[in-house]
Amino acid sequence: MARLLPRLPGGLLTGPRVEVYGVRHHGPGSARALRAALEDYGPDAVLIEGPPEADPIVGLAADPGMVPPVALLAYSPAADGDDRKAAFWPFAEFSPEWQAVRHALAAGAAVRFCDLPAANQLVPAADGPQDAPAGAEASGEDAMRLDPLGLLAEAAGYDDTERWWDDVVEHRHDGPSPFPAIAEAMTELRERVTAPPEDAAGAPPGYRRREEQREAHMRRTLRRALKDGYGRVAVVCGAWHVPALLAKVPAARDDRTLRGLPKVKVATTWVPWTHGRLAGRSGYGAGVRSPGWYQHLFTAPDRPVERWLTAAARVLREEGLHVSSAHVIEAVRLAEALAALRGRPLAGLDEVTEAARAVLCEGAELPVGLIRRRLVVGERLGAVPERTPMVPLQRDLQAEQRRLRLRPSASGKEQDLDLRKPTDLDRSRLLHRLRLLEVDWGVPSESRSKGTFRETWTLEWRPEFDVELIEASAWGTTVRGAATARAEALAASAEALADLTSVAERCLLADLGGALPAVMGALADRAAVDTDVARLMAAMPALVRALRYGDVRGTSTGPLRTVVDGLVVRVCVGLPPALTGLDDDAARDLLGHIDAVHGALALLGDEGHVERWRRTLEGVLARPAALHGLVEGRLTRLLHDAGRLGDVPDRMARAVSVGAAPGRAAAWVEGFLSGGGLLLVHDEALLRLVDGWISGLPAGSFTDVLPLLRRTFGAFGAAERRAVGERVRRLGGGAEAPRPAGDGLDADRAAPAAATALAILGWKESS
């Protein structure tokens, strides 16, 4: 394409020389060829497809602290009730646009972005067509254009567009510039392929109009650069736009196309990006299938296949797999042979993957998946320099990350925290504060330790967190201050008591003492007037956790203890009437609350509250006729485990007697056994009662209660089910049944396996 123009499109200006380079947004071959073309041409101005609002900060790309992948972020303030509008323009090291920016800055040439301004592209849908910027994170260039490159690939005999583009552009290392041929092909395509109608499949509403506006603005920017006196101008844009920039379109027509476009106020900055978000599978329309592979092709132009398979072998060795140099040599030979058989100029990702699977991984898929994660995507997180424009909240978070030595990473990393250590405690508080701001950099997981001093987090930084931090900056300029204001707002807007208790717990975990007075005031007021015992019970576990673990964190929990004490009394008073006259669904729902309160009080460890709770359950069980079978069975089990009942076999005998309805008996058994099946293993009397009841059920009744029984016993672990089954098999004999005569070892059948095991161990078979 690099077509030399003796005059500007439209014929308004003559003399200056203009080169237009059509590229793929992320392609190592395009990037390498563009860099060579720019070095040969030596422009004094470079125009690049991107948001013009980023012109003042494009110089940051030359800072040593700017490490791709990075992205330009354009965002507009959120209107009342609306989400913030934002778009990203990602750049990898192998992106042609990134190479154009770096070349221009190093050579002292002017750099301008020439796409339609983000101020126009981020207009809400009510004010204009809401199309994503091309090359931006929300775009899908090939799909929107009904895959024009697919026509070229098909004409060349390929059934895979990506593979054709790789062969003709990305895998090229030398030879003449590809740009003239690409420009000629795109011109032919645009003449033959009509623009898709507004309702065409793959084309969003307003697509054609938005494309006309974008190309009109590109031509306007080019005219302006020439008018400013630049004599050698290079334009870098998506290949599809090249014919539009070379077309003879009058400036007046472009002015009419752009006149009166609605716009919003926007701000721009640079943010770190990841290879994972460059991949097409992430939903990024202009993404590529294998950013790690493309990064490798760009940074290792000499012997890329050998270097790639060597890196794959290194990944496998790090995981303890035995891969030798001979494996690598054979894998290279296989990849090159496959490329030759398929007529490819260089072994591509398909060939090196197949070679790695067959030779390095010996046909196993699990190691291949490891190579895909580590190399094909090659997850990495870019970096931006300190002087990049940021909101104060972002800068405060960066300062906290440095202070606490928590470095953001694009790959999930497990972090164990010991809350007895001041640094780990501060790390935990920071992560909890960010979660209050809906910035889920850290996700808590189950700790390996049963103690209260341990937390386990999975840390994974995602680029959109920068947008969320910008949004959260409305709450404050520091993480602590913003989280405090956010907690107070959540408490003020909470509609349910359980929501308030959750906010209180999160405040204690995040050490937000400034928010606690407002949160606790709202909590006390709501708890005092709420009469629904189910809501009171739902609120208790979070409060007890906050009390129990607040002390570990050194957080004052005095006001919270007052609320918990009041809730325990009110739950114990309100529970008995709430348990009468329940249907199946209501009984199951309330049983979940009973289990949660029972566990919470055990965690709290207050003997007075525990005793009050047990007396309440005993009082309820004293009137079993009013209880649902599920509830009666569960309360019986809870009190039995606490050592408060001495007549459990008699109670079960009555529950599963002949006179009891099968459905109620099954519900009783389900409630009683919901705590686990080991009780039946160790208490033969109870096991005999259950076994006798099930065995004596009539055929029709057994069919009716079978779903309940399957749900009950299906909840047991496999080991528990086997143990119960063994105990049932031995019922009646009193002693363990003898092993069947035919249950011994068959020496003839075992001989081949034994011989193989001996050979592996290097032992000789005894004669």
Side-chain angles (χ1 to χ4, degrees):
M1 112 188 18
R3 179 175 298 184
L4 189 64
L5 299 180
R7 52 191 291 137
L8 180 68
L12 300 182
L13 298 173
T14 61
R17 298 172 58 190
V18 176
E19 299 271 4
V20 184
Y21 302 93
V23 299
R24 186 186 190 184
H25 286 304
H26 306 293
S30 295
R32 190 179 298 110
L34 177 64
R35 188 170 61 183
L38 291 176
E39 290 173 354
D40 181 64
Y41 178 49
D44 52 8
V46 179
L47 310 183
I48 300 170
E49 185 178 324
E53 292 91 344
D55 286 351
I57 61 172
V58 69
L60 289 171
D63 192 296
M66 185 77 76
V67 181
V70 293
L72 283 170
L73 165 63
Y75 60 93
S76 66
D80 292 341
D82 292 336
D83 292 332
R84 184 182 298 275
K85 305 297 181 182
F88 297 91
W89 283 259
F91 301 89
E93 187 177 2
F94 53 82
S95 301
E97 296 91 341
W98 178 256
Q99 292 300 319
V101 169
R102 294 298 294 264
H103 170 84
L105 294 175
V111 183
R112 296 180 182 177
F113 290 104
C114 61
D115 205 347
L116 189 68
N120 302 124
Q121 300 205 47
L122 296 181
V123 171
D127 298 327
Q130 185 59 40
D131 299 315
E137 201 266 341
S139 72
E141 184 180 71
D142 290 346
M144 289 182 181
R145 288 158 178 74
L146 304 182
D147 192 20
L149 295 180
L151 299 177
L152 296 177
E154 183 180 357
Y158 285 74
D159 57 3
D160 186 332
T161 303
E162 191 99 1
R163 185 175 173 184
W164 170 78
W165 183 267
D166 284 348
D167 284 354
V168 300
V169 177
E170 307 305 347
H171 290 173
R172 296 174 74 257
H173 295 294
D174 49 25
S177 171
F179 297 117
I182 294 174
E184 183 177 353
M186 292 299 128
T187 301
E188 185 70 16
L189 275 178
R190 289 189 67 131
E191 291 176 355
R192 292 177 177 270
V193 180
T194 58
E198 295 297 333
D199 58 352
Y207 162 74
R208 186 192 301 180
R209 179 187 173 198
R210 179 49 51 90
E211 288 297 282
E212 291 174 352
Q213 293 166 354
R214 293 180 60 212
E215 291 173 347
H217 196 274
M218 292 181 191
R219 290 189 292 264
R220 172 186 281 183
T221 305
L222 176 56
R223 294 189 187 97
R224 187 172 298 151
L226 294 171
K227 186 177 180 180
D228 289 344
Y230 294 108
R232 301 170 68 84
V233 180
V235 183
V236 180
C237 61
W240 181 257
H241 299 298
V242 172
L245 290 177
L246 299 177
K248 296 182 178 180
V249 179
R253 177 179 169 183
D254 288 342
D255 291 340
R256 286 194 301 271
T257 300
L258 298 172
R259 185 176 298 125
L261 291 183
K263 62 182 180 180
V264 295
K265 184 178 180 180
V266 300
T268 57
T269 187
W270 289 97
V271 296
W273 204 248
T274 67
H275 272 180
R277 292 301 299 269
L278 282 171
R281 61 179 175 80
S282 70
Y284 173 32
V288 295
R289 289 188 298 195
S290 48
W293 169 249
Y294 274 5
Q295 174 76 16
H296 173 76
L297 288 180
F298 185 76
T299 57
D302 61 313
R303 308 180 73 83
V305 175
E306 292 88 338
R307 295 179 184 274
W308 177 266
L309 289 170
T310 299
R314 185 181 304 112
V315 167
L316 298 178
R317 289 193 196 106
E318 289 173 354
E319 296 299 321
L321 300 178
H322 298 290
V323 182
S324 67
S325 299
H327 282 93
V328 176
I329 293 171
E330 289 305 315
V332 170
R333 289 174 178 171
L334 178 56
E336 292 176 343
L338 289 172
L341 287 172
R342 296 168 180 173
R344 306 196 70 178
L346 177 73
L349 182 60
D350 291 341
E351 287 73 30
V352 296
T353 300
E354 291 175 33
R357 177 185 291 109
V359 182
L360 304 185
C361 305
E362 298 180 347
E365 282 299 323
L366 192 60
V368 176
L370 181 65
I371 293 173
R372 286 197 182 101
R373 289 192 301 274
R374 298 275 187 87
L375 294 182
V376 176
V377 174
E379 191 59 279
R380 66 174 63 189
L381 178 67
V384 298
E386 287 288 333
R387 55 196 183 98
T388 302
M390 296 181 187
V391 296
L393 184 61
Q394 289 174 292
R395 294 205 177 278
D396 182 68
L397 176 57
Q398 285 191 352
E400 288 292 286
Q401 289 169 337
R402 287 192 298 269
R403 181 178 71 86
L404 299 174
R405 299 187 298 279
L406 279 178
R407 184 177 180 180
S409 172
S411 55
K413 178 183 178 183
E414 194 172 88
Q415 183 85 37
D416 289 321
L417 301 180
D418 184 344
L419 302 183
R420 293 168 294 186
K421 299 178 180 178
T423 299
D424 279 1
L425 181 57
D426 285 348
R427 289 170 174 170
S428 172
R429 289 167 174 168
L430 174 65
L431 295 173
H432 280 294
R433 290 167 186 170
L434 289 173
R435 285 177 62 80
L436 262 170
L437 296 174
E438 299 182 353
V439 180
D440 293 332
W441 174 29
V443 177
S445 56
E446 290 295 328
S447 176
R448 296 192 186 98
S449 171
K450 296 293 185 182
T452 59
F453 292 96
R454 292 280 181 180
E455 278 186 350
T456 302
W457 296 78
T458 300
L459 304 182
E460 182 178 359
W461 187 266
R462 297 195 300 272
E464 56 266 29
F465 290 158
D466 284 291
V467 178
E468 292 167 2
L469 285 169
I470 292 170
E471 184 72 30
S473 64
W475 298 107
T477 59
T478 65
V479 175
R480 180 176 190 137
T484 297
R486 172 70 170 158
E488 292 173 343
L490 288 174
S493 62
E495 297 181 356
L497 184 60
D499 295 336
L500 273 170
T501 59
S502 174
V503 175
E505 180 183 20
R506 297 171 73 182
C507 285
L508 289 170
L509 293 173
D511 189 29
L512 299 178
L516 273 178
V519 175
M520 294 309 304
L523 178 59
D525 292 344
R526 183 67 59 85
V529 299
D530 201 323
T531 59
D532 189 311
V533 70
R535 288 200 292 266
L536 296 175
M537 295 173 77
M540 191 178 296
L543 293 178
V544 170
R545 286 195 303 269
L547 267 177
R548 180 67 178 84
Y549 299 123
D551 291 339
V552 173
R553 296 171 167 273
T555 306
S556 175
T557 57
L560 196 59
R561 182 58 187 251
T562 303
V563 176
V564 170
D565 291 343
L567 279 180
V568 172
V569 173
R570 296 181 62 199
V571 166
C572 290
V573 171
L575 183 60
L579 289 176
T580 59
L582 299 177
D583 60 17
D584 292 344
D585 292 338
R588 195 171 301 280
D589 182 64
L590 200 56
L591 199 62
H593 291 312
I594 290 173
D595 282 340
V597 170
H598 190 80
L601 292 179
L603 178 66
L604 185 60
D606 186 302
E607 289 299 325
H609 288 328
V610 171
E611 181 61 26
R612 181 189 296 273
W613 172 250
R614 289 173 178 172
R615 287 202 307 268
T616 300
L617 300 186
E618 289 172 341
V620 170
L621 270 184
R623 298 183 297 275
L627 297 178
H628 191 281
L630 189 67
V631 174
E632 184 187 357
R634 185 62 185 143
L635 298 188
T636 302
R637 176 63 180 276
L638 293 178
L639 291 174
H640 171 70
D641 290 346
R644 302 293 285 255
L645 293 179
D647 60 345
V648 171
D650 294 339
R651 290 174 181 270
M652 178 178 281
R654 289 194 297 270
V656 299
S657 64
V658 176
R664 190 182 192 283
W668 196 99
V669 172
E670 180 185 358
F672 185 79
L673 295 179
S674 62
L678 288 179
L679 186 65
L680 296 180
V681 177
H682 299 295
D683 194 324
E684 186 172 316
L686 296 180
L687 180 62
R688 286 182 181 278
L689 285 170
V690 175
D691 181 57
W693 168 66
I694 295 176
S695 301
L697 285 172
S701 298
F702 179 80
T703 303
D704 292 337
V705 303
L706 183 59
L708 293 177
L709 294 174
R710 288 178 61 87
R711 180 166 57 197
T712 301
F713 288 91
F716 298 166
E720 285 184 294
R721 291 198 299 270
R722 284 196 300 269
V724 172
E726 285 295 321
R727 294 287 293 173
V728 171
R729 188 168 64 86
R730 294 196 296 269
L731 283 179
E736 185 173 350
R739 183 183 294 274
D743 199 26
L745 176 65
D746 188 331
D748 292 336
R749 294 179 62 190
T756 301
L758 290 172
I760 292 173
L761 296 172
W763 296 349
K764 293 184 179 180
E765 187 174 1
S766 60
S767 58

